[in-house]
Amino acid sequence: MGRLYNRVFPGLVKVALWALAVMVGGSVWADSSGPINPFPITGAYSALHRADWDHISLIELSGNYDKALSGGAANVEPRAIVAREFLRTHPDNYDFIVVFSTFEFDTGDAQAFHWGVQNQVQGVNLPTYDVSNLFGSAGKLKGFIDMAALTRYETNPLNPGFDNTLSVLAHEVMHQWGPRVRFMQADNTLSDALIGHGGAHWSYLLDSDASVGYGADWKDNSDGTFTSVGVRRFFSPLDLYLMGYYKQEEVPPFYLIENPDIDKTALPEENVTISGTRRQLSIEDIVAAEGARIPSADEAQHDYRFGFVLLTGQGETVTEDQILALNYIRKEFMTRYAILTGGRGIAQVYPEALPTETTGTPDEVTGGPIRTTTASLEDGLAWLRGQQQGDGSWRDKAATSFRDTTVVMDTLSRLDSAFTGDLNALSWLDGMSVDPNADFLARY
Protein backbone atom coordinates (compact mmCIF):
# COMPACT_ATOMS: atom_id res chain seq x y z
CA MET A 1 0.00 0.00 0.00
CA GLY A 2 3.03 2.28 0.32
CA ARG A 3 3.29 2.90 -3.41
CA LEU A 4 -0.41 3.67 -3.61
CA TYR A 5 -0.16 6.06 -0.64
CA ASN A 6 2.75 7.90 -2.20
CA ARG A 7 0.81 8.40 -5.42
CA VAL A 8 -2.61 9.17 -3.99
CA PHE A 9 -1.75 11.42 -1.06
CA PRO A 10 -0.25 14.19 -3.21
CA GLY A 11 -3.32 13.83 -5.39
CA LEU A 12 -5.52 14.65 -2.40
CA VAL A 13 -3.59 17.86 -1.88
CA LYS A 14 -3.94 18.73 -5.56
CA VAL A 15 -7.65 18.03 -5.63
CA ALA A 16 -8.09 20.20 -2.56
CA LEU A 17 -6.54 23.07 -4.51
CA TRP A 18 -8.74 22.19 -7.49
CA ALA A 19 -11.83 22.26 -5.24
CA LEU A 20 -10.78 25.63 -3.85
CA ALA A 21 -10.52 27.00 -7.38
CA VAL A 22 -14.02 25.71 -8.06
CA MET A 23 -15.42 27.55 -5.05
CA VAL A 24 -13.62 30.77 -5.93
CA GLY A 25 -14.05 30.99 -9.69
CA GLY A 26 -16.30 28.21 -10.99
CA SER A 27 -15.26 24.82 -12.30
CA VAL A 28 -13.84 23.84 -15.65
CA TRP A 29 -15.88 20.75 -16.35
CA ALA A 30 -13.55 19.17 -18.78
CA ASP A 31 -10.63 19.43 -21.10
CA SER A 32 -9.68 17.76 -24.36
CA SER A 33 -6.32 16.50 -25.53
CA GLY A 34 -7.05 17.25 -29.15
CA PRO A 35 -5.16 15.07 -31.63
CA ILE A 36 -2.65 12.72 -29.99
CA ASN A 37 0.65 12.17 -31.74
CA PRO A 38 2.26 8.71 -31.73
CA PHE A 39 4.15 8.07 -28.49
CA PRO A 40 6.46 5.34 -27.21
CA ILE A 41 5.34 2.59 -24.86
CA THR A 42 8.15 2.70 -22.28
CA GLY A 43 7.06 -0.03 -19.88
CA ALA A 44 6.91 2.44 -16.98
CA TYR A 45 3.26 1.53 -16.30
CA SER A 46 1.39 -1.71 -15.80
CA ALA A 47 -2.29 -2.54 -15.58
CA LEU A 48 -4.13 -5.70 -14.54
CA HIS A 49 -7.75 -6.58 -15.24
CA ARG A 50 -9.06 -8.01 -11.97
CA ALA A 51 -12.65 -8.80 -12.91
CA ASP A 52 -15.86 -7.58 -14.48
CA TRP A 53 -18.22 -6.84 -11.63
CA ASP A 54 -21.82 -6.11 -12.56
CA HIS A 55 -20.87 -4.61 -15.95
CA ILE A 56 -17.97 -2.60 -14.53
CA SER A 57 -14.38 -3.60 -15.37
CA LEU A 58 -11.98 -3.41 -12.42
CA ILE A 59 -8.43 -2.60 -13.49
CA GLU A 60 -5.41 -2.07 -11.25
CA LEU A 61 -2.79 0.47 -12.27
CA SER A 62 0.80 0.87 -11.23
CA GLY A 63 2.47 4.17 -12.06
CA ASN A 64 1.83 7.92 -12.17
CA TYR A 65 -1.66 8.69 -13.46
CA ASP A 66 -1.57 12.49 -13.28
CA LYS A 67 -2.90 14.26 -16.36
CA ALA A 68 0.52 15.76 -17.12
CA LEU A 69 4.08 14.70 -16.48
CA SER A 70 6.37 16.84 -14.34
CA GLY A 71 7.71 18.61 -17.43
CA GLY A 72 4.19 19.52 -18.58
CA ALA A 73 3.83 16.94 -21.37
CA ALA A 74 0.55 15.04 -21.59
CA ASN A 75 0.71 11.78 -19.63
CA VAL A 76 -0.87 9.63 -22.33
CA GLU A 77 0.95 6.32 -21.87
CA PRO A 78 -0.86 5.08 -18.73
CA ARG A 79 -4.18 5.69 -20.48
CA ALA A 80 -2.99 3.56 -23.38
CA ILE A 81 -1.91 0.82 -20.96
CA VAL A 82 -5.32 0.82 -19.26
CA ALA A 83 -7.08 0.67 -22.65
CA ARG A 84 -4.83 -2.19 -23.78
CA GLU A 85 -5.65 -4.18 -20.68
CA PHE A 86 -9.37 -3.52 -21.11
CA LEU A 87 -9.27 -4.62 -24.75
CA ARG A 88 -7.14 -7.64 -23.88
CA THR A 89 -10.12 -8.97 -21.93
CA HIS A 90 -12.93 -7.57 -24.11
CA PRO A 91 -13.65 -7.54 -27.85
CA ASP A 92 -12.30 -4.64 -29.88
CA ASN A 93 -15.81 -3.28 -30.30
CA TYR A 94 -15.79 -0.15 -28.16
CA ASP A 95 -15.93 3.46 -29.32
CA PHE A 96 -15.22 5.00 -25.92
CA ILE A 97 -13.64 3.79 -22.70
CA VAL A 98 -14.90 5.73 -19.67
CA VAL A 99 -12.66 5.56 -16.61
CA PHE A 100 -13.51 6.54 -13.05
CA SER A 101 -10.88 6.04 -10.37
CA THR A 102 -11.01 5.14 -6.69
CA PHE A 103 -8.15 7.58 -6.03
CA GLU A 104 -7.48 11.24 -6.64
CA PHE A 105 -4.84 12.50 -9.06
CA ASP A 106 -3.87 15.81 -10.60
CA THR A 107 -6.24 16.84 -13.40
CA GLY A 108 -5.13 20.46 -13.59
CA ASP A 109 -8.04 22.89 -13.56
CA ALA A 110 -10.43 20.39 -15.15
CA GLN A 111 -12.84 18.07 -13.43
CA ALA A 112 -12.48 15.48 -16.19
CA PHE A 113 -10.95 15.23 -19.65
CA HIS A 114 -11.15 13.52 -23.02
CA TRP A 115 -8.28 11.97 -24.95
CA GLY A 116 -8.81 11.79 -28.70
CA VAL A 117 -7.64 8.40 -29.94
CA GLN A 118 -8.63 8.99 -33.55
CA ASN A 119 -10.66 11.21 -35.85
CA GLN A 120 -11.93 10.38 -39.33
CA VAL A 121 -14.58 13.12 -39.53
CA GLN A 122 -14.10 16.08 -41.86
CA GLY A 123 -15.65 19.52 -41.47
CA VAL A 124 -15.14 19.86 -37.70
CA ASN A 125 -11.73 21.62 -37.78
CA LEU A 126 -9.86 18.54 -36.57
CA PRO A 127 -7.18 16.72 -38.55
CA THR A 128 -7.64 13.06 -39.36
CA TYR A 129 -5.40 10.86 -37.23
CA ASP A 130 -5.40 7.42 -35.65
CA VAL A 131 -3.28 6.16 -32.74
CA SER A 132 -5.83 3.51 -31.73
CA ASN A 133 -3.20 0.80 -32.25
CA LEU A 134 -1.25 2.23 -29.30
CA PHE A 135 -4.40 1.83 -27.20
CA GLY A 136 -4.84 -1.81 -28.20
CA SER A 137 -7.51 -1.25 -30.85
CA ALA A 138 -7.41 -2.02 -34.55
CA GLY A 139 -9.09 1.23 -35.58
CA LYS A 140 -12.33 0.98 -33.56
CA LEU A 141 -11.63 2.98 -30.38
CA LYS A 142 -12.31 6.70 -30.82
CA GLY A 143 -11.84 8.25 -27.40
CA PHE A 144 -10.62 7.63 -23.86
CA ILE A 145 -12.52 9.56 -21.19
CA ASP A 146 -11.02 10.24 -17.77
CA MET A 147 -13.76 11.15 -15.33
CA ALA A 148 -11.22 11.12 -12.45
CA ALA A 149 -12.20 10.16 -8.89
CA LEU A 150 -15.69 8.75 -8.43
CA THR A 151 -15.93 10.78 -5.22
CA ARG A 152 -15.99 14.00 -7.26
CA TYR A 153 -19.51 13.24 -8.41
CA GLU A 154 -22.99 12.95 -7.05
CA THR A 155 -24.01 9.35 -7.75
CA ASN A 156 -27.52 9.29 -6.27
CA PRO A 157 -30.02 9.66 -9.13
CA LEU A 158 -32.52 11.23 -6.73
CA ASN A 159 -30.14 14.08 -5.88
CA PRO A 160 -30.35 17.16 -8.14
CA GLY A 161 -26.55 17.11 -8.38
CA PHE A 162 -26.71 13.85 -10.33
CA ASP A 163 -27.78 15.84 -13.37
CA ASN A 164 -24.40 17.55 -13.31
CA THR A 165 -22.65 14.14 -13.28
CA LEU A 166 -24.38 13.05 -16.47
CA SER A 167 -23.79 16.42 -18.11
CA VAL A 168 -20.05 16.24 -17.45
CA LEU A 169 -19.89 12.84 -19.13
CA ALA A 170 -21.94 14.12 -22.08
CA HIS A 171 -19.56 17.08 -22.32
CA GLU A 172 -16.61 14.69 -22.53
CA VAL A 173 -18.21 12.65 -25.29
CA MET A 174 -18.88 15.81 -27.29
CA HIS A 175 -15.15 16.63 -27.20
CA GLN A 176 -14.69 13.85 -29.74
CA TRP A 177 -15.96 16.30 -32.38
CA GLY A 178 -15.06 19.69 -30.91
CA PRO A 179 -16.23 22.34 -30.50
CA ARG A 180 -13.44 23.97 -32.55
CA VAL A 181 -15.17 25.27 -35.67
CA ARG A 182 -14.65 28.69 -37.21
CA PHE A 183 -16.89 30.73 -39.51
CA MET A 184 -16.33 32.65 -42.72
CA GLN A 185 -16.73 36.41 -42.54
CA ALA A 186 -18.06 38.73 -45.26
CA ASP A 187 -14.51 39.64 -46.28
CA ASN A 188 -13.68 35.94 -46.81
CA THR A 189 -11.46 35.72 -43.73
CA LEU A 190 -11.84 33.06 -41.05
CA SER A 191 -12.96 33.95 -37.55
CA ASP A 192 -12.39 31.85 -34.42
CA ALA A 193 -14.80 33.94 -32.37
CA LEU A 194 -16.98 30.87 -31.72
CA ILE A 195 -14.13 29.12 -29.89
CA GLY A 196 -13.69 29.73 -26.17
CA HIS A 197 -11.93 28.16 -23.21
CA GLY A 198 -8.89 26.04 -24.05
CA GLY A 199 -9.58 26.21 -27.77
CA ALA A 200 -12.05 23.32 -27.40
CA HIS A 201 -15.22 24.88 -25.98
CA TRP A 202 -17.80 27.35 -27.20
CA SER A 203 -17.20 31.03 -26.63
CA TYR A 204 -18.71 32.52 -23.50
CA LEU A 205 -20.48 34.95 -25.87
CA LEU A 206 -22.15 32.34 -28.08
CA ASP A 207 -25.89 31.82 -27.86
CA SER A 208 -25.40 28.06 -27.67
CA ASP A 209 -28.84 27.08 -26.33
CA ALA A 210 -27.17 26.15 -23.01
CA SER A 211 -24.82 23.65 -24.64
CA VAL A 212 -22.87 21.30 -22.42
CA GLY A 213 -19.94 22.57 -24.51
CA TYR A 214 -20.30 26.04 -22.88
CA GLY A 215 -21.63 29.31 -24.21
CA ALA A 216 -25.09 29.97 -22.81
CA ASP A 217 -28.75 30.30 -23.61
CA TRP A 218 -28.62 34.07 -23.96
CA LYS A 219 -31.87 36.04 -23.81
CA ASP A 220 -31.82 39.16 -25.99
CA ASN A 221 -33.34 41.89 -23.82
CA SER A 222 -33.80 44.11 -26.91
CA ASP A 223 -31.95 46.99 -25.25
CA GLY A 224 -28.36 46.11 -26.05
CA THR A 225 -28.08 43.69 -23.12
CA PHE A 226 -28.28 39.92 -22.89
CA THR A 227 -29.02 37.65 -19.92
CA SER A 228 -27.86 34.05 -19.58
CA VAL A 229 -30.96 32.03 -18.68
CA GLY A 230 -29.38 28.57 -18.94
CA VAL A 231 -25.95 26.96 -19.12
CA ARG A 232 -24.48 23.46 -19.54
CA ARG A 233 -27.69 21.54 -20.13
CA PHE A 234 -28.12 20.21 -23.67
CA PHE A 235 -26.55 19.23 -26.95
CA SER A 236 -27.42 22.24 -29.09
CA PRO A 237 -28.45 21.90 -32.76
CA LEU A 238 -24.92 23.00 -33.69
CA ASP A 239 -23.48 20.33 -31.37
CA LEU A 240 -25.70 17.70 -32.94
CA TYR A 241 -24.58 18.73 -36.41
CA LEU A 242 -20.91 18.34 -35.47
CA MET A 243 -21.69 14.98 -33.84
CA GLY A 244 -23.41 13.74 -37.01
CA TYR A 245 -26.99 13.68 -35.75
CA TYR A 246 -28.40 16.78 -37.48
CA LYS A 247 -28.38 17.61 -41.15
CA GLN A 248 -27.15 21.04 -42.17
CA GLU A 249 -30.68 22.25 -42.86
CA GLU A 250 -31.82 21.28 -39.36
CA VAL A 251 -29.51 23.78 -37.64
CA PRO A 252 -31.38 27.06 -37.08
CA PRO A 253 -29.62 30.44 -37.17
CA PHE A 254 -27.79 31.46 -34.00
CA TYR A 255 -25.95 34.53 -32.79
CA LEU A 256 -22.77 35.72 -31.19
CA ILE A 257 -22.58 38.66 -28.79
CA GLU A 258 -19.78 41.00 -29.79
CA ASN A 259 -18.07 42.90 -27.00
CA PRO A 260 -14.26 43.20 -27.08
CA ASP A 261 -14.18 43.97 -23.35
CA ILE A 262 -15.56 40.53 -22.38
CA ASP A 263 -13.28 37.49 -22.30
CA LYS A 264 -14.69 34.89 -24.67
CA THR A 265 -12.80 32.15 -22.78
CA ALA A 266 -14.69 32.84 -19.54
CA LEU A 267 -16.68 29.98 -18.04
CA PRO A 268 -20.47 30.05 -18.43
CA GLU A 269 -22.57 31.44 -15.63
CA GLU A 270 -26.33 31.57 -15.24
CA ASN A 271 -28.31 34.77 -14.53
CA VAL A 272 -25.56 37.10 -15.76
CA THR A 273 -26.41 40.19 -17.84
CA ILE A 274 -23.90 41.65 -20.28
CA SER A 275 -23.97 44.27 -23.01
CA GLY A 276 -22.93 43.86 -26.62
CA THR A 277 -23.95 43.76 -30.25
CA ARG A 278 -25.81 40.80 -31.67
CA ARG A 279 -24.14 39.16 -34.70
CA GLN A 280 -26.36 36.76 -36.57
CA LEU A 281 -24.73 33.60 -37.92
CA SER A 282 -25.80 30.44 -39.70
CA ILE A 283 -24.51 26.93 -40.27
CA GLU A 284 -23.66 28.01 -43.82
CA ASP A 285 -21.05 30.38 -42.37
CA ILE A 286 -19.38 27.42 -40.65
CA VAL A 287 -19.58 25.17 -43.70
CA ALA A 288 -18.00 27.95 -45.77
CA ALA A 289 -15.05 27.92 -43.37
CA GLU A 290 -14.68 24.21 -42.59
CA GLY A 291 -16.44 22.43 -45.41
CA ALA A 292 -19.42 20.12 -45.01
CA ARG A 293 -19.34 17.46 -42.36
CA ILE A 294 -18.24 14.14 -43.81
CA PRO A 295 -19.83 11.72 -43.18
CA SER A 296 -23.14 13.58 -43.21
CA ALA A 297 -25.94 12.89 -40.77
CA ASP A 298 -27.45 10.38 -43.20
CA GLU A 299 -24.26 8.30 -43.17
CA ALA A 300 -22.68 9.06 -39.79
CA GLN A 301 -22.44 6.58 -36.93
CA HIS A 302 -25.24 7.10 -34.41
CA ASP A 303 -24.76 4.08 -32.16
CA TYR A 304 -21.72 4.04 -29.85
CA ARG A 305 -20.49 1.45 -27.37
CA PHE A 306 -19.05 2.59 -24.05
CA GLY A 307 -16.90 0.50 -21.74
CA PHE A 308 -16.93 1.57 -18.08
CA VAL A 309 -13.81 1.03 -15.96
CA LEU A 310 -13.17 1.55 -12.26
CA LEU A 311 -9.44 2.13 -11.91
CA THR A 312 -7.77 1.21 -8.62
CA GLY A 313 -4.37 1.17 -7.02
CA GLN A 314 -2.56 -2.13 -6.51
CA GLY A 315 -4.23 -4.37 -3.95
CA GLU A 316 -7.00 -1.86 -3.29
CA THR A 317 -10.36 -3.24 -2.19
CA VAL A 318 -13.41 -2.24 -4.20
CA THR A 319 -16.74 -2.00 -2.38
CA GLU A 320 -20.26 -2.85 -3.48
CA ASP A 321 -21.19 0.79 -2.86
CA GLN A 322 -18.62 1.95 -5.40
CA ILE A 323 -19.92 -0.48 -8.00
CA LEU A 324 -23.51 0.53 -7.27
CA ALA A 325 -22.62 4.22 -7.59
CA LEU A 326 -20.86 3.76 -10.92
CA ASN A 327 -23.67 1.60 -12.24
CA TYR A 328 -26.15 4.39 -11.54
CA ILE A 329 -24.07 6.62 -13.79
CA ARG A 330 -23.61 3.95 -16.45
CA LYS A 331 -27.29 3.05 -16.76
CA GLU A 332 -28.68 6.58 -16.48
CA PHE A 333 -26.22 7.87 -19.07
CA MET A 334 -27.74 5.49 -21.60
CA THR A 335 -31.10 7.20 -21.13
CA ARG A 336 -29.65 10.70 -20.95
CA TYR A 337 -27.71 10.27 -24.19
CA ALA A 338 -30.87 9.27 -26.03
CA ILE A 339 -32.65 12.33 -24.64
CA LEU A 340 -29.80 14.72 -25.48
CA THR A 341 -29.72 13.49 -29.08
CA GLY A 342 -33.48 13.68 -29.51
CA GLY A 343 -33.73 9.91 -29.75
CA ARG A 344 -31.27 9.73 -32.63
CA GLY A 345 -28.30 8.46 -30.64
CA ILE A 346 -27.76 5.22 -28.77
CA ALA A 347 -25.21 4.72 -26.01
CA GLN A 348 -24.54 1.00 -25.61
CA VAL A 349 -23.30 0.69 -22.02
CA TYR A 350 -23.35 -3.08 -21.49
CA PRO A 351 -19.99 -4.82 -21.93
CA GLU A 352 -19.23 -7.66 -24.30
CA ALA A 353 -17.30 -10.74 -23.25
CA LEU A 354 -14.57 -12.27 -25.34
CA PRO A 355 -15.84 -15.25 -27.35
CA THR A 356 -15.06 -18.56 -25.64
CA GLU A 357 -15.52 -20.76 -28.69
CA THR A 358 -13.30 -20.95 -31.72
CA THR A 359 -14.72 -20.64 -35.21
CA GLY A 360 -15.47 -24.02 -36.70
CA THR A 361 -15.10 -25.22 -40.27
CA PRO A 362 -18.41 -24.99 -42.13
CA ASP A 363 -19.82 -28.05 -43.86
CA GLU A 364 -19.67 -27.80 -47.63
CA VAL A 365 -22.76 -28.60 -49.66
CA THR A 366 -21.97 -29.98 -53.10
CA GLY A 367 -24.58 -30.54 -55.77
CA GLY A 368 -24.70 -32.77 -58.81
CA PRO A 369 -24.27 -31.75 -62.44
CA ILE A 370 -26.54 -29.07 -63.88
CA ARG A 371 -29.61 -30.60 -65.58
CA THR A 372 -29.78 -29.72 -69.27
CA THR A 373 -32.96 -31.60 -70.17
CA THR A 374 -36.58 -30.67 -69.51
CA ALA A 375 -37.59 -30.49 -65.83
CA SER A 376 -39.30 -33.63 -64.50
CA LEU A 377 -41.25 -33.88 -61.26
CA GLU A 378 -40.88 -37.67 -61.24
CA ASP A 379 -37.10 -37.42 -61.55
CA GLY A 380 -37.02 -34.85 -58.73
CA LEU A 381 -39.05 -37.03 -56.39
CA ALA A 382 -36.90 -40.03 -57.20
CA TRP A 383 -33.77 -38.05 -56.46
CA LEU A 384 -35.18 -36.98 -53.08
CA ARG A 385 -36.04 -40.58 -52.19
CA GLY A 386 -32.48 -41.57 -52.98
CA GLN A 387 -31.02 -38.94 -50.64
CA GLN A 388 -32.61 -40.39 -47.48
CA GLN A 389 -29.89 -41.34 -45.01
CA GLY A 390 -29.67 -44.76 -43.35
CA ASP A 391 -31.01 -43.30 -40.08
CA GLY A 392 -34.11 -41.97 -41.85
CA SER A 393 -33.08 -38.32 -42.15
CA TRP A 394 -32.23 -35.95 -45.01
CA ARG A 395 -29.56 -33.28 -44.76
CA ASP A 396 -27.60 -30.75 -46.75
CA LYS A 397 -25.35 -30.58 -43.69
CA ALA A 398 -25.59 -31.65 -40.06
CA ALA A 399 -26.75 -28.26 -38.80
CA THR A 400 -29.82 -28.28 -41.09
CA SER A 401 -30.80 -31.95 -40.82
CA PHE A 402 -33.94 -31.33 -38.76
CA ARG A 403 -35.23 -28.70 -41.17
CA ASP A 404 -34.25 -30.70 -44.26
CA THR A 405 -35.93 -33.89 -42.99
CA THR A 406 -39.24 -32.22 -42.19
CA VAL A 407 -39.36 -30.37 -45.53
CA VAL A 408 -38.47 -33.41 -47.67
CA MET A 409 -40.74 -35.78 -45.78
CA ASP A 410 -43.67 -33.36 -46.15
CA THR A 411 -42.97 -32.98 -49.88
CA LEU A 412 -42.71 -36.72 -50.57
CA SER A 413 -45.74 -37.58 -48.45
CA ARG A 414 -47.87 -35.15 -50.46
CA LEU A 415 -46.56 -35.74 -53.98
CA ASP A 416 -44.92 -39.19 -54.20
CA SER A 417 -47.11 -42.31 -53.99
CA ALA A 418 -43.95 -44.46 -54.24
CA PHE A 419 -42.49 -43.01 -51.03
CA THR A 420 -42.22 -45.61 -48.23
CA GLY A 421 -39.55 -44.05 -46.00
CA ASP A 422 -41.92 -42.01 -43.82
CA LEU A 423 -41.77 -44.35 -40.80
CA ASN A 424 -37.97 -44.24 -40.70
CA ALA A 425 -38.07 -40.45 -40.96
CA LEU A 426 -40.63 -40.15 -38.15
CA SER A 427 -38.58 -42.48 -35.97
CA TRP A 428 -35.52 -40.29 -36.51
CA LEU A 429 -37.48 -37.14 -35.68
CA ASP A 430 -38.88 -38.69 -32.49
CA GLY A 431 -35.34 -39.43 -31.35
CA MET A 432 -34.09 -35.90 -31.99
CA SER A 433 -33.01 -33.80 -28.99
CA VAL A 434 -33.20 -30.13 -30.03
CA ASP A 435 -34.12 -26.86 -28.36
CA PRO A 436 -37.89 -26.27 -28.58
CA ASN A 437 -37.52 -23.01 -30.52
CA ALA A 438 -40.22 -21.54 -32.74
CA ASP A 439 -38.80 -23.16 -35.89
CA PHE A 440 -38.76 -26.60 -34.24
CA LEU A 441 -42.30 -26.27 -32.91
CA ALA A 442 -43.61 -25.06 -36.26
CA ARG A 443 -42.07 -27.96 -38.16
CA TYR A 444 -42.61 -30.82 -35.71
Side-chain angles (χ1 to χ4, degrees), residues 25 27-28 109 192-206 214-215 232 259 262-268:
S27 66
V28 180
D109 65 349
D192 63 359
L194 294 176
I195 306 172
H197 179 81
H201 300 85
W202 293 126
S203 165
Y204 175 78
L205 298 168
L206 175 64
Y214 296 175
R232 305 178 179 185
N259 186 331
I262 297 179
D263 182 7
K264 69 170 186 172
T265 68
L267 299 179

Side-chain angles (χ1 to χ4, degrees), residues 283-352:
I283 188 62
E284 287 75 21
D285 298 317
I286 292 175
V287 172
E290 308 294 356
R293 188 195 195 277
I294 302 174
S296 66
D298 288 330
E299 300 175 343
Q301 180 177 350
H302 294 161
D303 183 338
Y304 296 93
R305 183 172 294 278
F306 295 77
F308 281 76
V309 172
L310 184 59
L311 193 64
T312 76
Q314 288 181 300
E316 187 176 357
T317 300
V318 174
T319 68
E320 290 187 9
D321 286 344
Q322 289 171 316
I323 297 299
L324 180 63
L326 186 46
N327 264 323
Y328 280 139
I329 298 172
R330 180 185 62 83
K331 289 185 286 189
E332 293 300 324
F333 179 70
M334 177 173 60
T335 302
R336 178 60 58 89
Y337 192 77
I339 293 172
L340 290 175
T341 59
R344 302 187 186 192
I346 297 175
Q348 302 280 2
V349 300
Y350 288 90
E352 288 188 62

Side-chain angles (χ1 to χ4, degrees), residues 58-77:
L58 307 182
I59 296 180
E60 286 186 1
L61 176 72
S62 174
N64 171 26
Y65 199 67
D66 288 345
K67 178 186 175 186
L69 298 170
S70 57
N75 192 18
V76 184
E77 185 180 356

Side-chain angles (χ1 to χ4, degrees), residues 19 99 112 182 210 231 303 362 394 398 405 407 416 434 438:
V99 180
R182 302 158 296 178
V231 298
D303 183 338
W394 284 265
T405 299
V407 171
D416 189 1
V434 296

Side-chain angles (χ1 to χ4, degrees), residues 9 17 24 62 105 110 112 161-162 167 185 199 210 214 221 243 287 394 416 418 428-429:
F9 183 74
L17 296 175
V24 172
S62 174
F105 58 93
F162 187 72
S167 294
Q185 303 187 95
Y214 296 175
N221 299 317
M243 297 172 72
V287 172
W394 284 265
D416 189 1
W428 181 83
L429 287 171

Side-chain angles (χ1 to χ4, degrees), residues 82-394:
V82 170
R84 285 184 174 199
E85 182 63 7
F86 177 82
L87 292 175
R88 183 185 68 82
T89 53
H90 298 80
D92 184 12
N93 192 30
Y94 290 83
D95 299 287
F96 296 93
I97 297 175
V98 179
V99 180
F100 288 81
S101 64
T102 59
F103 54 87
E104 281 293 351
F105 58 93
D106 187 354
T107 58
D109 65 349
Q111 184 172 358
F113 44 99
H114 165 275
W115 303 85
V117 175
Q118 66 163 301
N119 174 60
Q120 307 301 326
V121 177
Q122 300 176 42
V124 295
N125 195 25
L126 279 170
T128 55
Y129 65 97
D130 187 351
V131 293
S132 61
N133 64 311
L134 296 174
F135 285 75
S137 173
K140 175 64 174 176
L141 186 65
K142 295 175 176 60
F144 185 100
I145 295 174
D146 264 314
M147 292 294 286
L150 184 60
T151 52
R152 292 188 179 187
Y153 300 94
E154 175 57 59
T155 58
N156 181 358
L158 300 180
N159 189 301
F162 187 72
D163 186 73
N164 179 77
T165 301
L166 299 181
S167 294
V168 172
L169 181 50
H171 175 118
E172 293 299 342
V173 174
M174 184 190 164
H175 269 310
Q176 182 67 31
W177 302 274
R180 302 170 184 267
V181 290
R182 302 158 296 178
F183 64 89
M184 187 69 73
Q185 303 187 95
D187 61 359
N188 291 324
T189 59
L190 295 176
S191 172
D192 63 359
L194 294 176
I195 306 172
H197 179 81
H201 300 85
W202 293 126
S203 165
Y204 175 78
L205 298 168
L206 175 64
D207 179 37
S208 69
D209 295 318
S211 167
V212 296
Y214 296 175
D217 184 6
W218 290 103
K219 175 186 176 183
D220 188 340
N221 299 317
S222 301
D223 60 0
T225 67
F226 304 82
T227 300
S228 58
V229 296
V231 298
R232 305 178 179 185
R233 294 180 182 174
F234 310 108
F235 288 148
S236 71
L238 184 52
D239 296 334
L240 292 168
Y241 167 78
L242 297 177
M243 297 172 72
Y245 290 108
Y246 270 23
K247 300 177 183 179
Q248 185 175 323
E249 58 267 26
E250 293 181 280
V251 182
F254 52 95
Y255 65 87
L256 188 67
I257 303 167
E258 294 185 324
N259 186 331
D261 296 326
I262 297 179
D263 182 7
K264 69 170 186 172
T265 68
L267 299 179
E269 295 182 75
E270 200 163 356
N271 298 320
V272 172
T273 298
I274 62 173
S275 62
T277 301
R278 174 173 174 149
R279 179 171 186 170
Q280 199 71 21
L281 294 169
S282 70
I283 188 62
E284 287 75 21
D285 298 317
I286 292 175
V287 172
E290 308 294 356
R293 188 195 195 277
I294 302 174
S296 66
D298 288 330
E299 300 175 343
Q301 180 177 350
H302 294 161
D303 183 338
Y304 296 93
R305 183 172 294 278
F306 295 77
F308 281 76
V309 172
L310 184 59
L311 193 64
T312 76
Q314 288 181 300
E316 187 176 357
T317 300
V318 174
T319 68
E320 290 187 9
D321 286 344
Q322 289 171 316
I323 297 299
L324 180 63
L326 186 46
N327 264 323
Y328 280 139
I329 298 172
R330 180 185 62 83
K331 289 185 286 189
E332 293 300 324
F333 179 70
M334 177 173 60
T335 302
R336 178 60 58 89
Y337 192 77
I339 293 172
L340 290 175
T341 59
R344 302 187 186 192
I346 297 175
Q348 302 280 2
V349 300
Y350 288 90
E352 288 188 62
L354 283 173
T356 57
E357 301 293 337
T358 58
T359 302
T361 302
D363 294 335
E364 292 187 9
V365 178
T366 57
I370 298 176
R371 183 183 179 95
T372 58
T373 57
T374 304
S376 167
L377 177 61
E378 290 74 13
D379 288 351
L381 296 174
W383 184 87
L384 285 176
R385 291 197 304 271
Q387 299 304 309
Q388 188 171 19
Q389 302 295 306
D391 59 6
S393 67
W394 284 265

